[in-house]
Protein backbone atom coordinates (compact mmCIF):
# COMPACT_ATOMS: atom_id res chain seq x y z
CA UNK A 1 0.00 0.00 0.00
CA UNK A 2 1.35 3.42 -0.93
CA UNK A 3 1.79 6.08 1.81
CA UNK A 4 -1.10 8.10 0.34
CA UNK A 5 -3.46 5.11 0.41
CA UNK A 6 -2.25 4.26 3.91
CA UNK A 7 -3.13 7.79 5.00
CA UNK A 8 -6.61 7.49 3.53
CA UNK A 9 -7.08 4.14 5.28
CA UNK A 10 -5.91 5.70 8.53
CA UNK A 11 -8.53 8.42 8.19
CA UNK A 12 -11.28 5.85 7.73
CA UNK A 13 -10.06 3.95 10.78
CA UNK A 14 -9.87 6.96 13.07
CA UNK A 15 -13.28 8.38 12.13
CA UNK A 16 -12.23 11.83 13.31
CA UNK A 17 -14.91 14.23 12.15
CA UNK A 18 -13.78 17.17 10.01
CA UNK A 19 -15.46 19.66 12.41
CA UNK A 20 -13.88 18.23 15.56
CA UNK A 21 -11.87 20.62 17.74
CA UNK A 22 -8.61 18.67 18.08
CA UNK A 23 -7.40 20.60 21.11
CA UNK A 24 -10.61 20.33 23.11
CA UNK A 25 -12.53 17.41 21.61
CA UNK A 26 -16.16 17.01 22.63
CA UNK A 27 -15.75 13.24 23.24
CA UNK A 28 -18.76 12.65 21.00
CA UNK A 29 -18.36 9.96 18.32
CA UNK A 30 -15.80 11.20 15.79
CA UNK A 31 -14.28 13.62 18.29
CA UNK A 32 -12.63 11.57 21.03
CA UNK A 33 -9.27 12.61 22.41
CA UNK A 34 -8.01 9.05 22.87
CA UNK A 35 -8.49 8.42 19.16
CA UNK A 36 -7.15 11.80 18.12
CA UNK A 37 -3.96 11.54 20.18
CA UNK A 38 -3.24 8.02 18.95
CA UNK A 39 -3.88 8.52 15.24
CA UNK A 40 -3.78 12.19 14.19
CA UNK A 41 -0.35 13.60 13.41
CA UNK A 42 0.56 17.19 14.03
CA UNK A 43 0.77 17.93 10.30
CA UNK A 44 -2.86 16.81 9.99
CA UNK A 45 -4.13 19.76 12.05
CA UNK A 46 -5.09 23.17 10.73
CA UNK A 47 -4.71 26.12 13.10
CA UNK A 48 -4.77 29.90 13.13
CA UNK A 49 -1.62 31.94 13.46
CA UNK A 50 -0.70 35.59 13.67
CA UNK A 51 1.80 37.51 11.57
CA UNK A 52 4.40 39.70 13.33
CA UNK A 53 2.72 38.65 16.53
CA UNK A 54 4.76 40.93 18.81
CA UNK A 55 3.97 44.16 16.91
CA UNK A 56 2.52 47.21 18.62
CA UNK A 57 1.05 50.16 16.75
CA UNK A 58 3.29 52.94 15.51
CA UNK A 59 2.68 56.03 17.66
CA UNK A 60 0.25 58.52 16.03
CA UNK A 61 2.77 61.36 15.61
CA UNK A 62 5.31 58.96 14.15
CA UNK A 63 2.72 57.42 11.82
CA UNK A 64 1.77 60.90 10.57
CA UNK A 65 5.40 61.61 9.74
CA UNK A 66 5.78 58.23 8.05
CA UNK A 67 2.63 58.76 5.98
CA UNK A 68 4.01 62.07 4.74
CA UNK A 69 7.42 60.63 3.88
CA UNK A 70 6.53 57.10 2.69
CA UNK A 71 2.76 56.64 2.33
CA UNK A 72 2.94 53.18 0.77
CA UNK A 73 5.07 51.84 3.63
CA UNK A 74 2.84 53.51 6.22
CA UNK A 75 -0.24 51.91 4.62
CA UNK A 76 1.16 48.41 5.10
CA UNK A 77 2.48 48.99 8.62
CA UNK A 78 -0.76 50.26 10.13
CA UNK A 79 -1.70 47.22 12.24
CA UNK A 80 -0.94 45.84 15.71
CA UNK A 81 -1.46 42.85 17.99
CA UNK A 82 -2.28 42.38 21.68
CA UNK A 83 0.20 40.57 23.97
CA UNK A 84 1.21 37.05 22.97
CA UNK A 85 -0.71 35.40 25.80
CA UNK A 86 -3.90 37.15 24.69
CA UNK A 87 -3.44 35.78 21.17
CA UNK A 88 -2.89 32.27 22.52
CA UNK A 89 -5.99 32.63 24.68
CA UNK A 90 -7.94 33.63 21.57
CA UNK A 91 -6.86 30.44 19.80
CA UNK A 92 -3.66 31.28 17.90
CA UNK A 93 -1.39 28.24 17.71
CA UNK A 94 1.25 29.84 15.52
CA UNK A 95 3.16 33.03 16.28
CA UNK A 96 5.82 34.99 14.43
CA UNK A 97 8.80 36.70 16.03
CA UNK A 98 11.27 38.83 14.07
CA UNK A 99 14.70 39.05 15.69
CA UNK A 100 17.75 41.28 15.33
CA UNK A 101 21.20 40.32 16.61
CA UNK A 102 22.45 42.52 19.45
CA UNK A 103 25.00 40.61 21.56
CA UNK A 104 26.26 43.67 23.45
CA UNK A 105 22.93 45.45 23.87
CA UNK A 106 21.95 49.03 23.12
CA UNK A 107 22.22 48.95 19.33
CA UNK A 108 18.47 49.57 18.84
CA UNK A 109 17.78 51.63 21.98
CA UNK A 110 17.56 55.07 20.30
CA UNK A 111 15.29 54.75 17.25
CA UNK A 112 15.39 57.43 14.59
CA UNK A 113 11.68 58.09 13.96
CA UNK A 114 10.79 59.44 17.44
CA UNK A 115 13.96 61.54 17.38
CA UNK A 116 12.81 63.22 14.18
CA UNK A 117 9.36 63.81 15.67
CA UNK A 118 10.85 65.44 18.76
CA UNK A 119 13.19 67.54 16.66
CA UNK A 120 10.13 68.91 14.86
CA UNK A 121 8.80 70.15 18.18
CA UNK A 122 6.09 67.48 18.57
CA UNK A 123 5.55 64.98 21.34
CA UNK A 124 5.27 61.26 20.80
CA UNK A 125 4.15 58.32 22.88
CA UNK A 126 6.48 57.17 25.69
CA UNK A 127 8.89 54.38 24.85
CA UNK A 128 10.73 52.22 27.38
CA UNK A 129 14.11 51.56 25.80
CA UNK A 130 15.54 49.80 28.85
CA UNK A 131 15.04 46.24 27.48
CA UNK A 132 16.86 47.32 24.31
CA UNK A 133 19.95 48.14 26.35
CA UNK A 134 20.32 44.58 27.59
CA UNK A 135 22.37 42.06 25.57
CA UNK A 136 20.53 39.51 23.48
CA UNK A 137 18.28 39.09 20.47
CA UNK A 138 15.74 41.88 20.03
CA UNK A 139 12.19 41.50 18.70
CA UNK A 140 10.93 44.27 16.45
CA UNK A 141 9.73 44.77 12.89
CA UNK A 142 11.83 47.53 11.32
CA UNK A 143 14.60 49.14 13.33
CA UNK A 144 14.23 52.92 13.73
CA UNK A 145 10.76 52.91 12.12
CA UNK A 146 8.43 50.16 13.38
CA UNK A 147 10.23 49.29 16.61
CA UNK A 148 7.54 49.06 19.30
CA UNK A 149 7.08 45.52 20.57
CA UNK A 150 4.99 43.81 23.22
CA UNK A 151 8.16 41.93 24.23
CA UNK A 152 11.36 43.59 23.07
CA UNK A 153 13.69 40.83 24.27
CA UNK A 154 13.44 37.48 22.50
CA UNK A 155 13.83 35.59 25.77
CA UNK A 156 10.99 37.61 27.31
CA UNK A 157 8.71 36.64 24.41
CA UNK A 158 9.69 33.01 24.91
CA UNK A 159 9.07 33.18 28.66
CA UNK A 160 5.57 34.52 28.05
CA UNK A 161 4.84 31.69 25.59
CA UNK A 162 6.27 29.06 27.95
CA UNK A 163 4.26 30.37 30.91
CA UNK A 164 1.08 30.13 28.85
CA UNK A 165 2.04 26.66 27.64
CA UNK A 166 2.67 25.36 31.16
CA UNK A 167 -0.72 26.72 32.23
CA UNK A 168 -2.40 24.93 29.29
CA UNK A 169 -0.50 21.63 29.04
CA UNK A 170 -2.95 19.99 26.61
CA UNK A 171 -2.61 22.62 23.88
CA UNK A 172 -1.85 21.67 20.30
CA UNK A 173 1.78 22.21 19.31
CA UNK A 174 2.60 25.88 18.81
CA UNK A 175 4.64 26.92 15.78
CA UNK A 176 6.90 29.95 16.20
CA UNK A 177 8.20 31.25 12.88
CA UNK A 178 11.18 33.59 12.89
CA UNK A 179 12.52 36.18 10.48
CA UNK A 180 16.17 37.08 11.04
CA UNK A 181 16.37 40.80 10.31
CA UNK A 182 19.75 42.16 9.23
CA UNK A 183 18.97 44.59 6.41
CA UNK A 184 19.67 48.28 6.93
CA UNK A 185 17.02 50.98 6.61
CA UNK A 186 18.09 53.32 3.82
CA UNK A 187 17.51 56.63 5.60
CA UNK A 188 19.79 59.11 7.40
CA UNK A 189 20.27 58.52 11.11
CA UNK A 190 19.38 54.84 11.10
CA UNK A 191 21.43 52.13 12.79
CA UNK A 192 23.44 49.46 11.01
CA UNK A 193 22.02 45.96 11.59
CA UNK A 194 24.40 43.15 12.45
CA UNK A 195 24.48 40.15 10.13
CA UNK A 196 23.42 36.69 11.19
CA UNK A 197 26.74 34.89 11.09
CA UNK A 198 27.49 31.52 12.67
CA UNK A 199 27.81 33.03 16.14
CA UNK A 200 24.45 34.78 15.78
CA UNK A 201 22.81 31.55 14.63
CA UNK A 202 24.17 29.74 17.67
CA UNK A 203 22.75 32.47 19.90
CA UNK A 204 19.23 31.77 18.58
CA UNK A 205 19.39 28.14 19.68
CA UNK A 206 21.04 29.09 22.96
CA UNK A 207 18.35 31.63 23.88
CA UNK A 208 15.56 29.19 23.00
CA UNK A 209 17.15 26.43 25.07
CA UNK A 210 17.64 28.85 27.97
CA UNK A 211 13.83 29.06 28.24
CA UNK A 212 12.47 25.73 26.94
CA UNK A 213 13.64 22.34 28.18
CA UNK A 214 14.37 19.65 25.62
CA UNK A 215 11.15 17.83 26.42
CA UNK A 216 9.14 20.97 25.67
CA UNK A 217 10.45 21.26 22.11
CA UNK A 218 9.76 19.51 18.82
CA UNK A 219 13.12 19.62 17.03
CA UNK A 220 14.53 18.40 13.72
CA UNK A 221 16.20 15.53 15.60
CA UNK A 222 12.83 14.40 16.98
CA UNK A 223 11.17 14.43 13.56
CA UNK A 224 14.11 12.96 11.64
CA UNK A 225 14.53 9.96 13.95
CA UNK A 226 16.70 7.34 12.29
CA UNK A 227 16.19 8.65 8.77
CA UNK A 228 19.11 10.23 6.91
CA UNK A 229 17.33 13.57 6.43
CA UNK A 230 14.23 15.51 7.36
CA UNK A 231 12.98 15.15 3.80
CA UNK A 232 13.19 11.37 4.02
CA UNK A 233 11.60 11.38 7.48
CA UNK A 234 8.46 13.35 6.65
CA UNK A 235 7.92 11.17 3.61
CA UNK A 236 8.53 7.91 5.49
CA UNK A 237 6.95 8.22 8.93
CA UNK A 238 5.82 11.84 9.12
CA UNK A 239 5.53 14.19 12.08
CA UNK A 240 4.76 13.16 15.67
CA UNK A 241 1.24 12.15 16.64
CA UNK A 242 -0.68 14.69 18.72
CA UNK A 243 -0.31 12.50 21.79
CA UNK A 244 3.43 13.25 21.69
CA UNK A 245 3.15 16.83 20.45
CA UNK A 246 0.65 18.38 22.87
CA UNK A 247 2.09 20.97 25.20
CA UNK A 248 5.17 21.50 23.02
CA UNK A 249 6.45 24.26 20.75
CA UNK A 250 8.50 24.15 17.56
CA UNK A 251 10.41 26.81 15.66
CA UNK A 252 10.86 27.54 11.96
CA UNK A 253 13.31 29.92 10.29
CA UNK A 254 11.37 31.81 7.63
CA UNK A 255 14.41 32.68 5.54
CA UNK A 256 16.04 31.75 2.24
CA UNK A 257 19.62 31.03 1.31
CA UNK A 258 22.29 31.91 2.36
CA UNK A 259 20.99 32.15 5.95
CA UNK A 260 19.76 28.57 5.86
CA UNK A 261 23.22 27.38 4.87
CA UNK A 262 24.86 29.36 7.67
CA UNK A 263 22.46 27.81 10.18
CA UNK A 264 22.97 24.27 8.89
CA UNK A 265 26.78 24.51 8.59
CA UNK A 266 28.47 22.05 10.93
CA UNK A 267 25.14 20.37 11.68
CA UNK A 268 24.56 17.71 9.00
CA UNK A 269 20.91 16.82 8.84
CA UNK A 270 20.37 19.74 11.29
CA UNK A 271 21.57 17.52 14.13
CA UNK A 272 21.46 19.42 17.38
CA UNK A 273 19.65 22.42 15.87
CA UNK A 274 16.31 23.79 17.11
CA UNK A 275 14.83 25.51 14.05
CA UNK A 276 13.23 23.88 11.03
CA UNK A 277 14.42 25.80 7.96
CA UNK A 278 12.12 27.14 5.27
CA UNK A 279 13.53 24.65 2.79
CA UNK A 280 12.17 23.94 -0.67
CA UNK A 281 10.86 20.55 -1.68
CA UNK A 282 14.17 19.29 -3.14
CA UNK A 283 16.27 20.07 -0.07
CA UNK A 284 17.29 17.26 2.29
CA UNK A 285 16.18 19.64 5.07
CA UNK A 286 12.67 19.92 3.61
CA UNK A 287 10.02 19.54 6.33
CA UNK A 288 8.60 23.06 6.76
CA UNK A 289 7.87 25.65 4.08
CA UNK A 290 6.32 29.11 3.95
CA UNK A 291 4.00 29.63 0.97
CA UNK A 292 2.26 32.93 1.61
CA UNK A 293 0.12 33.18 -1.55
CA UNK A 294 -2.77 30.72 -1.15
CA UNK A 295 -4.42 31.66 -4.44
CA UNK A 296 -1.38 31.68 -6.73
CA UNK A 297 0.34 28.81 -4.87
CA UNK A 298 -2.73 26.65 -4.19
CA UNK A 299 -1.50 23.66 -6.18
CA UNK A 300 1.96 23.79 -4.62
CA UNK A 301 0.54 24.04 -1.11
CA UNK A 302 -1.72 21.04 -1.65
CA UNK A 303 1.13 19.01 -3.15
CA UNK A 304 3.45 19.85 -0.25
CA UNK A 305 0.84 19.00 2.37
CA UNK A 306 0.22 15.72 0.55
CA UNK A 307 3.96 15.02 0.62
CA UNK A 308 4.10 15.49 4.41
CA UNK A 309 5.47 19.01 4.67
CA UNK A 310 4.22 21.50 7.26
CA UNK A 311 3.04 24.66 5.44
CA UNK A 312 2.25 28.17 6.60
CA UNK A 313 0.26 30.55 4.42
CA UNK A 314 -1.38 33.95 4.94
CA UNK A 315 -5.02 34.99 4.82
CA UNK A 316 -4.12 38.67 4.44
CA UNK A 317 -1.14 40.98 4.07
CA UNK A 318 -0.18 44.64 4.34
CA UNK A 319 -3.70 45.66 5.53
CA UNK A 320 -5.06 45.18 1.97
CA UNK A 321 -7.82 42.68 2.73
CA UNK A 322 -8.88 44.48 5.91
CA UNK A 323 -9.29 47.80 4.13
CA UNK A 324 -11.51 46.30 1.42
CA UNK A 325 -13.10 43.48 3.44
CA UNK A 326 -11.94 41.09 0.72
CA UNK A 327 -12.29 37.48 1.89
CA UNK A 328 -11.09 35.64 -1.24
CA UNK A 329 -7.55 35.14 0.02
CA UNK A 330 -8.85 34.04 3.43
CA UNK A 331 -11.10 31.40 1.84
CA UNK A 332 -8.25 30.15 -0.35
CA UNK A 333 -5.91 29.91 2.64
CA UNK A 334 -8.27 27.66 4.60
CA UNK A 335 -9.11 25.54 1.55
CA UNK A 336 -5.44 25.12 0.59
CA UNK A 337 -4.72 22.60 3.32
CA UNK A 338 -1.87 24.67 4.77
CA UNK A 339 -1.55 23.66 8.41
CA UNK A 340 -1.19 27.29 9.55
CA UNK A 341 -3.34 30.14 8.26
CA UNK A 342 -1.74 33.35 9.48
CA UNK A 343 -3.49 36.70 9.85
CA UNK A 344 -3.18 40.19 11.27
CA UNK A 345 -6.89 40.16 12.11
CA UNK A 346 -8.07 37.60 14.62
CA UNK A 347 -10.19 40.60 15.60
CA UNK A 348 -11.41 43.24 13.13
CA UNK A 349 -9.85 46.67 12.87
CA UNK A 350 -13.03 48.73 12.75
CA UNK A 351 -11.15 51.70 11.30
CA UNK A 352 -11.09 49.70 8.07
CA UNK A 353 -13.94 47.15 7.97
CA UNK A 354 -15.45 44.12 9.70
CA UNK A 355 -12.80 41.83 8.18
CA UNK A 356 -11.47 39.17 10.54
CA UNK A 357 -10.19 35.60 10.37
CA UNK A 358 -11.60 32.66 12.33
CA UNK A 359 -11.54 28.94 11.74
CA UNK A 360 -14.54 27.77 9.67
CA UNK A 361 -17.15 25.89 11.64
CA UNK A 362 -16.84 27.85 14.84
CA UNK A 363 -13.95 25.79 16.26
CA UNK A 364 -10.47 27.01 17.20
CA UNK A 365 -8.72 24.30 15.19
CA UNK A 366 -9.65 21.32 13.07
CA UNK A 367 -8.50 18.33 11.08
CA UNK A 368 -6.69 19.62 8.01
CA UNK A 369 -9.19 19.73 5.11
CA UNK A 370 -6.63 18.22 2.73
CA UNK A 371 -6.59 15.15 4.94
CA UNK A 372 -10.27 15.08 5.81
CA UNK A 373 -11.07 15.32 2.11
CA UNK A 374 -9.33 11.98 1.69
CA UNK A 375 -6.26 13.39 -0.05
CA UNK A 376 -4.14 12.75 2.99
CA UNK A 377 -0.44 13.07 3.75
CA UNK A 378 2.32 10.54 3.42
CA UNK A 379 2.18 9.53 7.05
CA UNK A 380 2.82 5.84 7.34
CA UNK A 381 1.82 4.13 10.59
CA UNK A 382 1.72 6.17 13.82
Amino acid sequence: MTPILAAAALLAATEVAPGCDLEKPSEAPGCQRAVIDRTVKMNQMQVLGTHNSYKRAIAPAEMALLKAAAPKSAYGLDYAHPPLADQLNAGARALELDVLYDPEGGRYADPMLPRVVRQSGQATDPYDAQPMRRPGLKVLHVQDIDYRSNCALFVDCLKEIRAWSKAHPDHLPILITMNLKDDDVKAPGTVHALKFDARAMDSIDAEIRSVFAEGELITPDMVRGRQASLRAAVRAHGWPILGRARGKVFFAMDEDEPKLSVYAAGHPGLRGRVLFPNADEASPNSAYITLNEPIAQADRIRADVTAGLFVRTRADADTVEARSNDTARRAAAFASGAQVVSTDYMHPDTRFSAYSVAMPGGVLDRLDPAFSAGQGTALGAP
Side-chain angles (χ1 to χ4, degrees):
M1 181 181 291
T2 68
I4 302 302
L5 290 176
L10 181 61
L11 172 63
T14 62
E15 298 181 353
V16 176
C20 176
D21 186 320
L22 300 179
E23 181 164 300
K24 296 180 179 179
S26 67
E27 298 303 328
C31 196
Q32 298 168 322
R33 176 165 170 178
V35 174
I36 291 167
D37 283 3
R38 187 177 68 250
T39 59
V40 178
K41 297 206 172 189
M42 57 180 280
N43 63 314
Q44 294 176 349
M45 66 181 187
Q46 187 175 66
V47 299
L48 286 178
T50 56
H51 160 255
N52 291 343
S53 311
Y54 55 87
K55 185 179 170 336
R56 292 173 56 196
I58 297 174
E62 297 169 34
M63 177 58 79
L65 182 64
L66 187 61
K67 285 180 177 178
K72 185 175 180 180
S73 294
Y75 180 100
L77 296 175
D78 195 7
Y79 65 95
H81 290 291
L84 300 180
D86 290 356
Q87 297 172 55
L88 293 168
N89 283 332
R93 294 297 176 266
L95 302 170
E96 183 176 51
L97 302 176
D98 295 344
V99 295
L100 290 90
Y101 186 46
D102 187 20
E104 296 180 1
R107 178 170 289 271
Y108 306 103
D110 184 25
M112 175 271 293
L113 191 56
R115 275 191 278 116
V116 173
V117 169
R118 290 191 297 269
Q119 289 166 4
S120 71
Q122 301 179 69
T124 189
D125 291 1
Y127 172 63
D128 180 10
Q130 188 57 38
M132 289 291 183
R133 297 190 178 97
R134 291 164 54 188
L137 293 164
K138 303 302 187 300
V139 176
L140 57 113
H141 190 212
V142 183
Q143 68 271 25
D144 290 299
I145 304 294
D146 192 8
Y147 58 89
R148 295 177 188 264
S149 174
N150 283 312
C151 46
L153 282 169
F154 183 52
V155 292
D156 286 348
C157 297
L158 299 182
K159 288 175 182 177
E160 183 177 357
I161 295 167
R162 184 178 186 271
W164 187 93
S165 175
K166 300 302 285 184
H168 303 82
D170 293 332
H171 67 77
L172 294 181
I174 298 169
L175 170 65
I176 302 168
T177 54
M178 297 177 60
N179 292 131
L180 314 185
K181 298 294 189 78
D182 56 11
D183 291 332
D184 289 339
V185 176
K186 295 177 173 59
T190 56
V191 67
H192 171 65
L194 298 179
K195 294 298 181 182
F196 275 88
D197 57 13
R199 184 178 177 184
M201 295 296 187
D202 288 345
S203 77
I204 297 172
D205 284 8
E207 291 199 14
I208 292 172
R209 291 188 186 279
S210 76
V211 175
F212 288 99
E214 188 68 25
E216 298 166 345
L217 296 168
I218 297 166
T219 62
D221 286 339
M222 180 179 178
V223 173
R224 189 183 58 255
R226 297 181 180 179
Q227 295 290 329
S229 67
L230 279 173
R231 184 180 187 277
V234 298
R235 286 158 175 78
H237 57 71
W239 294 75
I241 56 173
L242 287 182
R244 293 185 62 203
R246 286 185 188 272
K248 293 182 171 63
V249 301
F250 63 118
F251 291 80
M253 182 195 298
D254 189 5
E255 294 288 347
D256 299 322
E257 297 289 355
K259 287 177 184 172
L260 301 185
S261 292
V262 175
Y263 185 72
H267 298 266
L270 294 170
R271 286 170 174 78
R273 282 304 200 188
V274 177
L275 277 63
F276 292 87
N278 177 28
D280 69 32
E281 297 84 352
S283 169
N285 293 327
S286 173
Y288 165 87
I289 191 166
T290 296
L291 297 172
N292 280 331
E293 302 298 331
I295 296 176
Q297 296 177 308
D299 291 343
R300 186 178 177 188
I301 291 172
R302 183 56 64 97
D304 284 350
V305 170
T306 298
L309 275 69
F310 202 101
V311 181
R312 187 203 84 161
T313 195
R314 289 182 67 180
D316 43 73
D318 303 324
T319 76
V320 172
E321 287 75 18
R323 291 177 188 270
S324 60
N325 200 16
D326 183 351
T327 61
R329 180 171 177 164
R330 181 184 73 187
F334 282 119
S336 72
Q339 289 89 348
V340 170
V341 176
S342 184
T343 180
D344 289 322
Y345 300 97
M346 288 189 73
H347 305 285
D349 187 335
T350 55
R351 298 175 304 158
F352 301 151
S353 74
Y355 176 87
S356 66
V357 177
M359 189 67 64
V363 294
L364 295 181
D365 53 76
R366 64 178 181 175
L367 197 67
D368 189 298
F371 184 72
S372 62
Q375 296 182 15
T377 52
L379 299 175

